[in-house]
Structure formats: structure tokens, C-alpha cells
Amino acid sequence: MQQSSLRSPLLEDFRTNKTRRWELRDVMGYVVEFSGDQHGSRFIQQKLETASSDEKQKVFDEIVPANILQLIQDVFGNYVVQKLFEHGTQLQKTRLAGEMEGRVLALSKQMYGCRVVQKAIECILPDQQAAIVRELEPHIMECIHDPNGNHVIQKMMERVAPERLTFIHMFRGNVQPLASHVYGCRVLQRALEYLPEIMISPLIEELHACTVTLMRNQFGNYVMQFMIEHGKPHDKALVISKLRGQLVHMARDRFSSNVCEKALTYADADTRRQFINEIILSRPEALAVGTMMKDSFANYVLQRAVVVAEPDQRDTLISQIRSQLATLRRFSQGYNKNLVSIERLLQKYASK
């Protein structure tokens, strides 16, 4: 934010004069300064939404080309450039995108620049989208692993025609590392969400080869959850099948417990019944229920099982839980907040 000593008298007046009705014409000649100020930027953004063609052109001419790169990377200025992409003419959008050519990688990796690149992808013509793809293609993995650049790659998958995303072949052989990466897992999910089957089927094959590993991974578990919730029936069933006979064990893991909850929610009725039987038919009786109740992660899976179970299985679950609660109450050391939330859930079903 600018220090008051560095502000022009006009900007200082704008910030302090609350009675004057300000219009875009009042700040002409000072557009760049206003764009770099928190309050001035917000004012210009609002006015651009309803500005005349002539007003938009005057704002544009003050910014392009001399000040465009400065504002793209500015904490407040980037929003003004985004508004120009949204509300400018097609010619203005084309020129704005042209100013970024040769610098798309650097801008994509910059905190504010990446937002402008994403907005550009949303607003420009397909040929210019393709130009951005070509510029980033040699640096795709670098962008994916970048905290800002990964958002640009996700936006390309969302908005650019799949046939122009020629870099997808680079994912082959790298699916497990991508799925296990804090940003790579997000990019992979967008690929599964937006790209046609012919492009993602080799990636899905690689995912099936390491399903259990990814379920237990800090970031890979999100990809597995995505496949269970949004995947094609065959792929969903294949992922869920890896949990059969392992539900209680996997429920105790910090990350795969999330996948177990998702599987209970989205499995078909027969598979869900099998999973819940793994819990209630364990020997000795209620062993699995007791184990899950006391576990920091499995207790959430148990609660999900209660919610999604058919009435007969729910009754058995609740009976076993109540039996274990009675035992655990005698040992206050073993009583914790997990059990309190389970008790609340039982009260909910007792009132039905």
C-alpha cells in the first residue's frame, strides 16, 4: 500500500473526500496510481463494469503497454487488469494477452500474475489460449509443482479445448508422483474431471496400479476420493474393491480413513452392506467397533457407517456401540472427545 507522502493530491483527496461523487473521468491521467492503491483499485474495478467504450479505452491506453506488466504483478493492480479482460473489447483482450507473450511462465509463477493469466485463459480466443499452452508446455512440470503455477495448469484443463492440451502425454509414467504431490494431486483431479476418456484412460490405469499406496498418502488420498465420487462406475468399483476385507485396518490410517468414509457413502448397496458386515461381524463380538471407537481416525468411519447403514445393520451397530460405551465409561482415561461425538450421533437416532 502506498504511503500517504507518496500519493498524489488527487488520490489523497479520493481517499479522504467521502462526499464527492467520483467518476472514471475524474481520475484520468492517474489510472495507474489508482490501480495500485487498495481503494483506488476497487473504484476502477467497479466503474469498469458499467463504463462506456470510450472510458474503457482511456483506462486501457494509460495501462498498455507501459504499465501493464507492473500492474499484472501488483497486489491491487492485478484486479484492474482482470476487469479489463472481463469487460474489455476483444481487441483489447487480444492486446493484453499479447503483452504477456514471452513472460507467461514468470507471470504464472508470480502470486498475482497467476491470477491474471487464469483470467486471460477464461476470456481470450482459442488461438491465444493455444499460444499460452505452447509457451508453458516445456515447463509444465515446473508449473505443476509451483504454488501459483499449478492454478494456471488447472485453469487450462478447465477452459482450453482438450485437443490443444498436448502436454498431457507428459503425465504418463508420472501419475503416482503427481498424485502424491501437494499441487500435482489437484492438477490430476482436474484432468480426470475435464478431459475426455481417451486422454485420461492411460492415467487411470496407472492410478489403479497404486491405489492402496495412494489411499494411504497425504495427497494421493484426495485423488482416490475423487475417483470414488466422480469416476466412471467401473473405475469407482475397482478402487472401492481394494478396501474389501481391509476396511477396519484402513480406517485407522490418518489418510485412508477419508477414503473409507467416501467408499461407505458412494458404494453400491451390496458393497456397503459387505463393508458394514466387516465391522459388526468381527470376532470376538464388537471387537472392531471397540477398536474404531477409540481410534482418532476410525471413529469417523464408524460414525459414517451408522449414518449410511440400512436399518437392520444400523440397529446392530448402535447396539454394539452402546455396549462398548458402557465399558469405556468405567475407564475415564479411555473416554475422549471422539466418544462424545459418537454419543451425540446415537442420541440423534434414538430420537427418530
Side-chain angles (χ1 to χ4, degrees):
M1 188 181 295
Q2 291 177 314
Q3 298 297 317
S4 58
S5 60
L6 301 177
R7 296 181 194 129
S8 67
L10 183 68
L11 180 55
E12 195 64 49
D13 185 37
F14 171 82
R15 289 173 62 97
T16 57
N17 189 339
K18 304 302 181 185
T19 58
R20 179 176 172 180
R21 185 182 177 87
W22 291 82
E23 299 294 343
L24 266 180
R25 62 176 175 273
D26 299 322
V27 305
M28 292 305 174
Y30 294 85
V31 166
V32 174
E33 182 190 17
F34 271 62
S35 296
D37 176 82
Q38 182 178 7
H39 304 287
S41 171
R42 190 177 297 128
F43 166 76
I44 292 177
Q45 291 171 59
Q46 291 169 347
K47 291 298 182 182
L48 282 173
E49 293 178 0
T50 56
S52 67
S53 298
D54 183 56
E55 286 174 323
K56 283 188 276 194
Q57 187 61 49
K58 286 179 179 176
V59 170
F60 182 88
D61 289 339
E62 286 194 39
I63 293 174
V64 180
N67 302 290
I68 183 63
L69 293 176
Q70 167 197 334
L71 290 183
I72 286 175
Q73 298 173 85
D74 183 78
V75 59
F76 303 122
N78 81 89
Y79 294 109
V80 172
V81 180
Q82 289 186 60
K83 283 294 179 184
L84 284 173
F85 269 115
E86 283 184 46
H87 299 285
T89 65
Q90 196 58 60
L91 180 60
Q92 288 166 349
K93 295 175 188 181
T94 298
R95 279 201 61 196
L96 286 169
E99 292 297 324
M100 297 193 299
E101 282 183 20
R103 303 177 180 91
V104 175
L105 176 61
L107 294 175
S108 296
K109 294 173 66 177
Q110 202 265 346
M111 183 181 295
Y112 308 116
C114 76
R115 301 174 187 178
V116 177
V117 177
Q118 289 174 76
K119 183 61 68 174
I121 291 168
E122 290 180 5
C123 299
I124 59 180
L125 297 171
D127 284 350
Q128 282 193 302
Q129 289 179 332
I132 289 178
V133 173
R134 285 194 298 273
E135 194 168 328
L136 289 181
E137 185 164 11
H139 314 282
I140 286 297
M141 290 302 179
E142 182 181 350
C143 282
I144 290 174
H145 293 130
D146 185 83
N148 301 310
N150 80 89
H151 295 290
V152 174
I153 307 304
Q154 291 184 62
K155 184 63 67 173
M156 289 197 301
M157 291 178 180
E158 180 185 335
R159 292 299 187 117
V160 179
E163 62 271 17
R164 295 179 184 269
L165 300 177
T166 50
F167 58 81
I168 299 299
H169 70 90
M170 298 180 191
F171 293 4
R172 295 186 187 182
N174 292 300
V175 168
Q176 184 173 347
L178 279 173
S180 305
H181 188 270
V182 58
Y183 308 126
C185 72
R186 302 176 191 174
V187 171
L188 201 51
Q189 286 174 74
R190 294 295 79 72
L192 298 177
E193 182 176 2
Y194 289 107
L195 301 186
E197 187 172 3
I198 193 170
M199 293 179 75
I200 61 172
S201 56
L203 312 183
I204 291 174
E205 281 182 29
E206 288 187 44
L207 286 170
H208 284 313
C210 54
T211 295
V212 175
T213 301
L214 291 177
M215 285 180 177
R216 301 173 71 97
N217 180 268
Q218 181 178 4
F219 305 111
N221 81 88
Y222 292 111
V223 180
M224 294 297 101
Q225 288 185 64
F226 185 91
M227 288 182 70
I228 289 172
E229 185 171 353
H230 302 288
K232 292 189 178 300
H234 167 75
D235 294 314
K236 176 189 300 191
L238 200 51
V239 171
I240 289 175
S241 71
K242 300 295 175 69
L243 290 169
R244 286 202 188 110
Q246 299 294 320
L247 185 79
V248 176
H249 172 66
M250 295 291 273
R252 299 181 68 186
D253 178 82
R254 179 176 184 177
F255 304 117
S256 59
S257 62
N258 300 317
V259 184
C260 292
E261 283 193 67
K262 195 72 76 171
L264 283 168
T265 303
Y266 289 96
D268 62 71
D270 288 342
T271 302
R272 183 183 299 117
R273 194 166 186 87
Q274 290 173 32
F275 281 146
I276 295 174
N277 277 338
E278 287 184 34
I279 301 172
I280 61 180
L281 299 181
S282 64
R283 291 291 178 267
E285 186 176 327
L287 174 65
V289 164
T291 299
M292 295 174 79
M293 286 172 66
K294 290 179 284 186
D295 187 84
S296 299
F297 309 112
N299 83 90
Y300 293 108
V301 180
L302 180 62
Q303 291 179 59
R304 175 57 52 183
V306 171
V307 171
V308 301
E310 294 295 323
D312 62 319
Q313 286 188 312
R314 182 182 295 128
D315 289 345
T316 304
L317 271 173
I318 289 174
S319 173
Q320 292 187 5
I321 291 170
R322 284 200 172 116
S323 170
Q324 292 294 313
L325 280 171
T327 303
L328 289 166
R329 280 195 192 97
R330 300 191 204 110
F331 306 97
S332 58
Q333 196 173 11
Y335 210 76
N336 55 37
K337 63 180 183 180
N338 301 332
L339 302 181
V340 172
S341 64
I342 290 172
E343 275 196 316
R344 286 198 193 113
L345 183 63
L346 296 194
Q347 288 169 5
K348 175 183 171 185
Y349 282 100
S351 64
K352 287 188 175 181

